[in-house]
């Protein structure tokens, strides 16, 4: 492929990535605005902030995972079309609700309502990610790099089931529900070597 | 065209796109700051947030449409000059008022005043987009890719008329006015295949 | 110059531009957070917001001018070094105070104190821009494109004098002081065709 | 190396840089939101804002140093892998806490608790930077440009010791502790010419 054409397609995709990076960067950063310095100044005064801090850490890791996988997925994408642009915006929409749910969970020390809503937004984001994946594969063909790289996609299939379970569990025991969110994050935290490996093979 | 020169022009344009992406990414994300977790923690406590949420969804879709069309329009742009830079900033100015009007409408459950002002900002943004389009076509020539791609531009001509109608209607029935905003969004949501098609032809 | 080398230098500079764009995009957008929807919902309720709105418009234009000129100046820059990086951060520091001074002026309907402080930040930003210009020229040589393009730089020399005058005037008549800020913005608004022209000549 | 391949790797890295730039740009800018215009409008009314302003200046310089060094370090990086992506996110996490600690220190006029916590976050960020450095060197090899450029890395080794000292000192005399933070910033402010010099040699 001539350099100019390669460059051209890369630039196209580049803008989608740049915009997504911008939105994700803002989401990941404004969540910290929920952390407000207490009026007292001793270290113990920070203790009530602990649940806010922990929910921030969890959401930071989640947004980090999404950014990471988004990075890998688009790395394996060649053409960008209208459906991909909108599927991407749809994903960003659900991610943009993370600061809201994170703040609500943190302020209320893991109450049932906020924990369930936190899970609903996680579920919707997972669904949106799946739809984006579909849109990209539809544009590249079933034999494409991405389709191969995904393989059985067991993580992508297991996560929604775990989220659903956790949403129901939130009304029984919000701590177990929250633990399930941590578990899903841990599953994904192990970086998605699948795409990386296939790309390395090619290069 | 040699690769280096092509790259050079693309980079020029690239910074305009990057800055616009940054501003639009922030606009689309800070709107969510209006959504504040209620003090109660049952799911029913979210009910009063519904109008805030719906106005957020509508504005998110509008900003998404602008970003999408901006993306396509600049994709068909070759040269960037001073008038284009300022026409672009002018568009960003009106878009930057979206979080304000979105918040005002959401908090006041679709009262006449906020709904009318929401429409005025939509109208001004549409006007600014039109002026940017003019500035780009002026820089590229009437026979340019963009001029061809736009064709009759019926969407661009219909929208301001609908906005104006809705602004007047807001004082009669704000619900019909809001419905008109949803209608315009729906018209644009159908992606602007015109430019995409002409570009595909060329490639 | 071979394409790869050209590309390499452009990428180097690119990151400086991208970071600056990011910071400027956020500055220009968070200023709008000062605009808060009033509790009443009639159009007349917006009247007290007018000074906040006008100070937002003025600051938006100022930040737009800085972005525009920054864009042109870096377009004419080849090498980026440590001094340029820090001179750039220094400029961003003063620009980052715009939301603060804009908010203070807007809330206090053009009182002497806020108007003077608004001018001091404008003056410091102008000084920082001048230092960045020096750092770039020092890195490119006096015969460089940028040095030629700037010529006598009468705007750059006149602005600080006008700012200083306005800062003193703020304590006599804040309206005349504010008018002076509008005047300086108007002088710069006329885009800096100097650099554009020299660049066009070269291409 | 052919231009296209070079371009490809650069683009890969580019997205990591772009995302980091976005997050750092937001961090550096939202810190200014702590500066709130006082209700009185005389210049003297700004005096209570002085500690907030000074802690903002110090944190701005720190974030500037991190951006600068990050810029240089990634400039000397060729391949980006999963470990680097996560090490980078880990660094961004600690940097994202700067607005919180800056606000807490500023509001409480350098009390022991906030000053110590400010130091703890500085320490963790330094540690995260060190881990990112390790991850990059592990990916490039010990003979790499970056490994050479770092040399003995005395700054990187001295800083954590000084931070630790300052954290303990905060409970004895928060002013000396704060002075230590200023000292570390001053040590780093002298730009990291090491990497720059090695890069220049190569070019």
């Amino acid at each position: 492929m001539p350099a100019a054409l390669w460059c051209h397609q890369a630039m196209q995709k580049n803008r989608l990535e740049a915009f997504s990076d911008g939105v994700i960067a803002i989401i990941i950063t404004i969540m910290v605005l929920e952390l407000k310095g207490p009026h007292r100044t001793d270290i113990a005064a920070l203790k009530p902030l602990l649940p806010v801090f922990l929910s921030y850490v969890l959401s930071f890791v989640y947004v980090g995972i999404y950014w990471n996988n988004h990075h890998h997925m688009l790395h394996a994408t060649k053409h960008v079309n209208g459906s991909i642009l909108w599927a991407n915006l749809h994903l960003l929409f659900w991610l943009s609700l993370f600061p809201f749910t994170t703040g609500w969970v943190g302020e209320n020390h893991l109450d049932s309502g906020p924990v369930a809503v936190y899970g609903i937004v996680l579920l919707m984001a997972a669904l949106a990610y799946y739809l984006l994946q579909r849109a990209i594969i539809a544009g590249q063909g079933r034999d494409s790099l991405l389709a191969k790289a995904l393989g059985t996609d067991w993580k992508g299939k297991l996560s929604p089931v775990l989220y659903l379970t956790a949403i129901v569990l939130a009304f029984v025991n919000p701590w177990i529900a929250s633990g399930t969110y941590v578990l899903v994050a841990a599953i994904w935290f192990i970086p998605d070597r699948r795409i990386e490996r296939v790309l390395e093979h090619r290069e």
Side-chain angles (χ1 to χ4, degrees), chain A:
Chain A
M1 181 166 38
L5 185 57
W6 186 90
C7 228
H8 174 70
Q9 289 180 349
M11 287 264 168
Q12 257 283 64
K13 205 178 69 175
N14 198 34
R15 196 171 172 195
L16 178 69
E17 292 182 327
F19 181 70
S20 309
D21 282 354
V23 173
I24 297 174
I26 299 157
I27 290 168
I28 216 170
T29 322
I30 62 175
M31 286 191 305
V32 89
L33 294 176
E34 295 294 327
L35 272 179
K36 291 200 186 81
H39 290 297
R40 278 163 54 207
T41 61
D42 50 310
I43 300 283
L46 291 177
K47 219 187 141 192
L49 281 183
L50 200 67
V52 184
F53 182 73
L54 291 180
S55 67
Y56 174 55
V57 173
L58 182 61
S59 294
F60 193 97
V61 170
Y62 263 112
V63 177
I65 288 165
Y66 271 104
W67 181 74
N68 234 321
N69 290 346
H70 192 263
H71 174 99
H72 280 108
M73 184 160 66
L74 276 157
H75 188 51
T77 303
K78 274 181 189 159
H79 307 286
V80 167
N81 58 35
S83 327
I84 294 175
L85 292 182
W86 276 107
N88 192 57
L89 275 167
H90 181 234
L91 171 62
L92 295 178
F93 175 79
W94 291 107
L95 294 181
S96 82
L97 294 179
F98 276 35
F100 167 74
T101 53
T102 304
W104 204 33
V105 161
E107 276 162 40
N108 296 292
H109 299 209
L110 303 185
D111 267 12
S112 296
V115 168
V117 172
Y118 190 91
I120 291 171
V121 170
L122 280 179
L123 180 64
M124 294 309 291
L127 203 79
Y129 189 82
Y130 176 78
L131 291 174
L132 175 58
Q133 206 167 271
R134 287 285 94 192
I136 292 176
I137 291 177
Q140 325 272 311
R142 287 194 159 269
D143 299 327
S144 70
L145 205 60
L146 182 62
K148 273 183 209 151
L150 282 169
T152 53
D153 192 22
W154 65 273
K155 285 183 188 181
K157 280 170 190 152
L158 180 61
S159 308
V161 178
L162 289 175
Y163 290 144
L164 266 174
T165 316
I167 292 165
V168 176
L169 274 175
F171 295 99
V172 185
N173 186 328
W175 289 91
I176 297 178
S178 307
T180 312
Y181 302 149
V182 174
L183 179 74
V184 180
I187 290 173
W188 281 102
F189 189 76
I190 304 149
D192 209 330
R193 298 245 179 246
R194 291 169 302 175
I195 300 179
E196 229 170 66
R197 213 175 303 133
V198 175
L199 279 171
E200 269 161 27
H201 257 267
R202 192 185 54 168
E203 280 159 21

